[in-house]
Amino acid sequence: MDKAILIPSVVLAAVMIGIYLFRCWRSGKEANNAVLISSVLNSSGIVCGLALAASPFFPYVKGLIGGIDIYIVIGGVAVLFVSSQAVHKDVIKSTRNTTVNKSSNSDGDKAAAGS
């Protein structure tokens, strides 16, 4: 990963960790190591996501984002997953026969009325 991506990621991670530790201290809760590690990884994702989103508009940024292929793969998987969910909801679920749902609801209504 290039320093142009690494340095903002580390700065953002330090800010997020500082906020988390301060909030833990104020609430009296023990800090969780998993949250600290997740903050570092998420800050890297935020910086890389911003760089990827800006790269078509700013050619200079496009030159900075070499070596972040993993984020391109993650972005592709995310788009694939969200699009697949939307197709399933719109094409499959919207045309599904609703008599199955009505029969299960009427059984629940009968049980609720008998109580």
Side-chain angles (χ1 to χ4, degrees), residues 14-45:
V15 169
M16 289 175 18
I17 288 171
I19 291 170
Y20 174 69
L21 292 175
F22 178 74
R23 290 176 58 87
C24 285
W25 174 72
R26 289 224 30 217
S27 66
K29 293 185 178 183
E30 186 175 337
N32 184 344
N33 188 40
V35 173
L36 297 173
I37 300 303
S38 178
S39 296
V40 173
L41 295 173
N42 288 332
S43 68
S44 174

Side-chain angles (χ1 to χ4, degrees), residues 80-93:
L80 175 66
F81 184 74
V82 169
S83 298
S84 298
Q85 277 186 325
V87 167
H88 181 261
K89 178 184 168 204
D90 294 342
V91 175
I92 305 299
K93 281 190 170 183

Side-chain angles (χ1 to χ4, degrees), residues 44-105:
S44 174
I46 289 170
V47 171
C48 288
L50 287 171
L52 284 170
S55 66
F57 306 106
F58 304 102
Y60 172 73
V61 175
K62 197 169 202 156
L64 296 176
I65 61 172
I68 60 168
D69 293 337
I70 186 66
Y71 294 102
I72 295 170
V73 171
I74 291 169
V77 169
V79 169
L80 175 66
F81 184 74
V82 169
S83 298
S84 298
Q85 277 186 325
V87 167
H88 181 261
K89 178 184 168 204
D90 294 342
V91 175
I92 305 299
K93 281 190 170 183
S94 68
T95 59
R96 186 175 286 165
N97 191 352
T98 58
T99 58
V100 174
N101 292 335
K102 286 182 181 178
S103 67
S104 64
N105 285 341

